[in-house]
Amino acid sequence: MTTTQTPTAWPENVIARYFTLAGPSVPGATVDLTHEDMSDTAKATRATCNCCQESGQFEWADQYPRHCRPGYVDYQNQRKGDYNARSWAQSHAETCRALPAPSPAEPEPKRRFWLPGQRTA
């Protein structure tokens, strides 16, 4: 007998997802990678564990000034930041044993106490 799992939609801006040791049987046990804008020129790839909330941020930019030789510009592309974030996410997912926090339960409805002396027909 085979079981099929219905795929869940990834959150917005997630570019990659790694399962932690809990595996695909536990919903939310993933490490997600996203791109963030730090400023106009600086950008970053962030890897966030949805179980233990640990994260790594790997900055990259299309260009940035070279401080040891003024006037020159070094280039670091998105692939380098993504590679570092994927490496961190893979190594963290292989060792993270935390489980995601349970979703908050729906609050119980407010109960009214019935006292026999206050009953009206």
Side-chain angles (χ1 to χ4, degrees):
M1 179 176 167
T2 60
T3 60
T4 58
Q5 293 180 345
T6 56
T8 59
W10 286 10
E12 191 174 335
N13 298 330
V14 171
I15 59 170
R17 180 170 263 188
Y18 294 85
F19 285 118
T20 62
L21 286 177
S25 61
V26 179
T30 59
V31 179
D32 293 341
L33 270 66
T34 56
H35 285 154
E36 295 181 355
D37 290 335
M38 305 300 289
S39 67
D40 291 339
T41 58
K43 301 182 187 318
T45 304
R46 178 180 291 276
T48 306
C49 180
N50 293 321
C51 297
C52 67
Q53 302 303 319
E54 189 173 341
S55 67
Q57 180 174 315
F58 303 90
E59 296 181 15
W60 51 273
D62 296 329
Q63 63 182 9
Y64 59 92
R66 189 170 179 184
H67 298 290
C68 61
R69 294 179 69 192
Y72 288 89
V73 176
D74 283 342
Y75 292 90
Q76 178 183 6
N77 59 11
Q78 177 179 344
R79 284 181 32 217
K80 187 174 182 180
D82 286 353
Y83 176 79
N84 293 336
R86 288 175 189 269
S87 297
W88 183 91
Q90 180 69 40
S91 65
H92 181 78
E94 289 172 352
T95 58
C96 183
R97 295 178 176 270
L99 293 175
S103 60
E106 190 173 308
E108 256 188 63
K110 192 172 184 177
R111 296 182 184 197
R112 294 184 182 179
F113 293 106
W114 176 75
L115 298 174
Q118 296 179 350
R119 185 174 179 191
T120 59

